[in-house]
Amino acid sequence: MQERNRRKYSPGWKRKVRNTATTATVLLAATVVLLFSFWKQWEQESPEFSEGERNPQVTAVLPEPTKEVQEETPEKQDVLSVEAGQFSQSAPEKKPSEISLGLDWPMPTIFLQEPSAPMQNIAAAWDVAADIEPEKTELMPLPKIEPEFPVKAALLTDAATGKVLYGYHAYEQITPASVTKLMTMLLALERGKLDDILTVTDTALAVGHWDAVMCGFRSGDKVTLYDVLHGMMIGSGNDAAAMVAEYISGSVDEFVVLMNERAKELGANCTNFANPHGLPNDEHLTSAYDISLVMQELLKYEEFFEITSKKSYTAYYKNAKGASVSLTFRNTNQYMAGKYELVEGIELLAGKTGTTNKAGKCLTLFVRAQDGKLYLAEMFGAETLDDLYFFMNQLLGQLRNFK
């Protein structure tokens, strides 16, 4: 035991321990330096990471702000939309409520929400607003009238400017029934001569519907265009509409092509006519707004007002044997017939009715209000005549607010 302790604390043993410790320290330091060098080299060769990628649990990448999260003021939007060079089209100077539909006369006010998208989407929002399809645009609801009519569509328009005052589903496609004859009337006045003689054909009498309203013409009758138009507009005769089509274009099919071409020229983008009279056809569609465009064109023709404002009319003509015959047409407009009383302060100038099971009860009017201006009033798809004329009076009653 004493020998072991003597060796342990001898000078030689102590030197050996010191040498071993020094060697271990040097090796440890070298290892640390080597590891540090490797780490620096690895950091230089590794790709750069953003702070968020290095610490995803601390700084997450936030999603783009939505309309609900961030909403810029119109003033700030205007400045940025001009300064941002990446926009393919700068925002127009007009507000969305002043956007027109690209026609030649002043267009109705279209009520759109102000854009509130993030900055990078502003230009696209303006582009969408400029390309709004009429049938997808909502109009201001009628004041003081039930928010939901028991009708399919209604429209009140300034006849001189085309400005829409009030509308209800005015751009949605509807079946117009005999209101179709307004376009047939327009083409007759544009392309025909009122004193021309039309000969009634078998094809004009075969309009293809068992309960179609007919004037009562017979095959071979010779009738002036003036008389035929009375039968079409006052009596709503479908045979008269077919006669006009054959007179203008040679056949009903060719006339339908002309009707759709004219509708396109007027900007009636929701319209597809399938016949000249409005008898049921699944492809025969239009909108209240499109009909207002046709009615505006009819303003140019005093003959339209002269014919459609009559309570009744008797046509005198020759039949196929040359004998003198006559037919009396009574106006289907129940305001004209005296069954319903027009709202006080409104003067009725002209109009056209329409009725089928699919279309319901329809009525379009030219009226003059107390302010002396002309207005167009339209109502489509009422279930009964009482509903049709009651709600038409509600619509026309709004004109009393214009002095």
Side-chain angles (χ1 to χ4, degrees), residues 181 200 204-205 207 212-218 221 223 227-244 313 315 317 326-330:
K181 296 181 175 81
V200 181
L205 298 178
V207 293
V213 175
M214 307 290 277
C215 290
F217 295 122
R218 304 284 183 171
D221 288 349
V223 194
D227 287 342
V228 171
L229 292 179
H230 279 82
M232 181 178 76
M233 299 304 292
I234 292 180
S236 203
N238 296 293
D239 50 348
M243 289 169 62
V244 172
Y313 176 80
Y317 56 95
S326 66
L327 283 172
T328 297
F329 313 117
R330 303 191 186 282

Side-chain angles (χ1 to χ4, degrees), residues 52-311:
E53 289 170 315
R54 287 178 181 154
N55 302 285
Q57 74 279 12
V58 176
T59 307
V61 180
L62 297 177
E64 289 291 329
T66 63
K67 293 182 181 180
E68 291 75 21
V69 175
Q70 176 179 330
E71 186 172 284
E72 301 290 345
T73 62
E75 291 79 7
K76 186 174 182 181
Q77 288 177 353
D78 291 341
V79 173
L80 292 179
S81 63
V82 173
E83 292 177 351
Q86 74 271 24
F87 294 155
S88 60
Q89 180 178 354
S90 61
E93 294 182 359
K94 293 183 178 181
K95 294 180 180 179
S97 60
E98 298 171 339
I99 294 173
S100 71
L101 299 180
L103 304 182
D104 294 332
W105 48 76
M107 285 295 98
T109 299
I110 300 175
F111 298 91
L112 303 174
Q113 294 182 348
E114 295 291 336
S116 58
M119 291 298 96
Q120 65 269 25
N121 294 328
I122 290 177
W126 279 104
D127 290 341
V128 169
D131 293 333
I132 287 284
E133 289 293 334
E135 64 272 25
K136 296 180 181 179
T137 306
E138 288 297 327
L139 297 173
M140 176 179 282
L142 289 154
K144 300 180 182 178
I145 300 180
E146 296 182 26
E148 288 294 330
F149 281 155
V151 297
K152 296 178 181 177
L155 187 66
L156 187 62
T157 310
D158 186 316
T161 65
K163 180 181 180 181
V164 172
L165 303 176
Y166 306 115
Y168 177 76
H169 296 174
Y171 294 132
E172 294 185 10
Q173 284 189 317
I174 46 102
T175 303
S178 284
V179 173
T180 301
K181 296 181 175 81
L182 289 171
M183 175 59 89
T184 304
M185 179 71 168
L186 176 61
L187 291 173
L189 294 175
E190 288 179 339
R191 294 170 176 258
K193 295 181 180 180
L194 294 179
D195 56 357
D196 280 356
I197 303 295
L198 283 61
T199 300
V200 181
T201 64
D202 290 335
T203 55
L205 298 178
V207 293
H209 205 272
W210 67 270
D211 63 346
V213 175
M214 307 290 277
C215 290
F217 295 122
R218 304 284 183 171
S219 182
D221 288 349
K222 299 185 182 300
V223 194
T224 64
L225 176 61
Y226 182 76
D227 287 342
V228 171
L229 292 179
H230 279 82
M232 181 178 76
M233 299 304 292
I234 292 180
S236 203
N238 296 293
D239 50 348
M243 289 169 62
V244 172
E246 292 180 348
Y247 162 70
I248 296 294
S249 298
S251 71
V252 168
D253 290 343
E254 289 299 318
F255 187 75
V256 169
V257 173
L258 181 61
M259 293 173 74
N260 287 314
E261 289 176 351
R262 191 70 179 97
K264 185 176 181 180
E265 291 173 1
L266 296 177
N269 299 320
C270 298
T271 295
N272 182 71
F273 291 118
N275 58 58
H277 36 64
L279 288 174
N281 186 306
D282 290 341
E283 297 180 358
H284 191 79
L285 299 167
T286 187
S287 69
Y289 177 74
D290 285 3
I291 291 297
S292 73
L293 300 179
V294 178
M295 295 176 74
Q296 276 189 289
E297 283 297 295
L298 287 168
L299 275 173
K300 301 176 181 178
Y301 299 93
E302 63 181 43
E303 297 90 347
F304 168 75
F305 291 89
E306 188 261 322
I307 291 173
T308 60
S309 62
K310 296 174 181 175
K311 292 183 179 181

Side-chain angles (χ1 to χ4, degrees), residues 363-375:
L363 180 62
T364 60
L365 302 175
F366 278 95
V367 298
R368 181 184 287 115
Q370 290 177 321
D371 62 0
K373 294 183 179 180
L374 297 184
Y375 295 92

